[in-house]
Amino acid sequence: SQQWLSAALLRAEHCVRSFDTGTSVASMLWAVAAQRCAPPGAWMEHFLAQVQRRLHVCNLQALANIGWALATLRYRPCPAWTAAFVRAVLRRFREGARSSSLQPPGSAGLLIPVHNSSSSRGRQWGQGQLGLLAGSSSSSSS
């Protein structure tokens, strides 16, 4: 019912100020989107302002949930918010690439295993699997 939705959104708006993790805000936005309700624009602007203040503590899963929720709600944030969100996603991808054996292969949008990221053989394997022989971030001489 509309009354229940209004009460839930009001409570969520109040609670978001006390959330200290990116997972908390992402989960709340995900839950709203999963209900397929369309919050008023003012509610979304306030909630996304709170999300933006926590982007620096969001992990990739939380960022993916935020992106999914926005797409599901068909809500387009302002350009400044979107730029901050994209910077947070890119920062987490870079951090993940440095700390794991998975490397993002440029614009392909897929993660592939690179057994030894410092070897040109590993880079060549990854590029060959995806047909990314041009545009590599590091050049290798064969």
Side-chain angles (χ1 to χ4, degrees):
S1 81
Q2 188 63 31
Q3 186 178 8
W4 179 87
L5 176 60
S6 295
L9 291 175
L10 182 63
R11 182 72 180 143
E13 188 174 11
H14 175 73
C15 289
V16 72
R17 292 183 190 109
S18 66
F19 293 160
D20 59 352
T21 68
T23 302
S24 299
V25 293
S27 295
M28 179 68 74
L29 192 57
W30 179 91
V32 168
Q35 295 301 311
R36 305 279 191 223
C37 65
W43 186 92
M44 287 295 294
E45 288 175 22
H46 175 263
F47 197 87
L48 290 180
Q50 297 298 319
V51 169
Q52 186 172 0
R53 294 176 60 198
R54 292 161 182 83
L55 285 175
H56 68 284
V57 296
C58 287
N59 61 24
L60 278 174
Q61 182 64 55
L63 293 167
N65 288 348
I66 292 166
W68 177 87
L70 292 173
T72 299
L73 294 170
R74 298 183 184 272
Y75 185 83
R76 178 176 260 169
C78 71
W81 190 95
T82 302
F85 178 77
V86 169
R87 281 191 305 272
V89 170
L90 292 174
R91 183 179 65 247
R92 289 295 181 215
F93 266 119
R94 279 188 231 108
E95 290 170 0
R98 284 193 302 263
S99 66
S100 91
S101 63
L102 295 177
Q103 299 293 322
S107 62
L110 303 171
L111 297 179
I112 58 171
V114 177
H115 303 290
N116 182 353
S117 62
S118 64
S119 77
S120 63
R121 187 174 176 193
R123 285 192 304 273
Q124 289 170 353
W125 177 86
Q127 292 167 353
Q129 291 297 308
L130 296 171
L132 297 175
L133 297 177
S136 174
S137 61
S138 59
S139 61
S140 64
S141 56
S142 299

